[in-house]
Amino acid sequence: TSETKSQDFKIDKSAPVMNEPALAGTLGDNDWYVSDVEATLTGEDATSGVALIEYSYNGTDWHDYLNPFDITLEGNTPVYTRITDNAGLETTYSPQITVDIDKTEPTISDIVLDGTIGDNDWYTSDIEATLAASDVTSGLEHIEYSLNAGADWLEYLGPFVLGTEADSQNIQYRAVDLAGLTSETKSQDFKIDKSAPV
């Protein structure tokens, strides 16, 4: 019998896998974050072990993942991830997630009141009220208004008529975006007298 020889070897045929990234931030409506987001990346490889995790915002420029990182850009930010195990096997996710951030409130325009103006700022006819707003990031969800100091808010569906005769009337209005952020509340006083004196 010859001498007995020995040879060690190891086999890894399974590519590593990324876990779902853990995101920490203030979540608004419709999966939009209304703050910066901290992303934590983890991965698994049951055979040779994880050697390297990388991330990218465009799938071209890669950064070694060493610690949780902040995503601060408003809008839709794709996060590409790549994981490599100690056998050299690699898995790329293009992208793995998209982080939606909106930190800016919508903008509400001044109300437009269309009616016949008499003396001393009195309207002498019904008034058609028109509202408009915009949001450049998540988009506008709705505009709302109140005719009783903010106690009851009505959704704005289009121009509407103000026709009650009275002094010292007021309308408040604001906009809400898809992230749940609310604009400043604006206010407009008006008064209506459609009845001639006797």
Side-chain angles (χ1 to χ4, degrees), residues 162-193:
L162 301 170
T164 302
E165 292 186 88
D167 190 7
S168 302
Q169 299 187 73
N170 177 269
I171 181 171
Q172 296 183 1
Y173 52 99
R174 63 193 182 189
V176 181
D177 67 18
L178 287 168
L181 297 173
T182 303
S183 72
E184 64 174 319
T185 298
K186 291 188 174 182
S187 177
Q188 177 66 53
D189 295 325
F190 63 95
K191 48 191 179 181
I192 299 174
D193 184 353

Side-chain angles (χ1 to χ4, degrees), residues 105-193:
E105 298 172 351
T107 301
I108 183 82
S109 302
D110 290 338
I111 192 170
V112 176
L113 299 180
D114 185 16
T116 303
I117 292 285
D119 294 342
N120 302 302
D121 298 323
W122 282 88
Y123 283 90
T124 58
S125 69
D126 288 342
I127 301 171
E128 183 180 74
T130 302
L131 298 173
S134 62
D135 187 87
V136 298
T137 308
S138 61
L140 190 66
E141 209 288 326
H142 70 270
I143 301 171
E144 55 190 17
Y145 64 94
S146 174
L147 295 172
N148 53 356
D152 296 304
W153 289 92
L154 304 174
E155 184 174 352
Y156 175 74
L157 301 175
F160 57 95
V161 174
L162 301 170
T164 302
E165 292 186 88
D167 190 7
S168 302
Q169 299 187 73
N170 177 269
I171 181 171
Q172 296 183 1
Y173 52 99
R174 63 193 182 189
V176 181
D177 67 18
L178 287 168
L181 297 173
T182 303
S183 72
E184 64 174 319
T185 298
K186 291 188 174 182
S187 177
Q188 177 66 53
D189 295 325
F190 63 95
K191 48 191 179 181
I192 299 174
D193 184 353

Side-chain angles (χ1 to χ4, degrees), residues 24 46 49 56 72 82 131 150 158 165:
S56 171
T72 60
R82 185 165 66 189
L131 298 173
E165 292 186 88

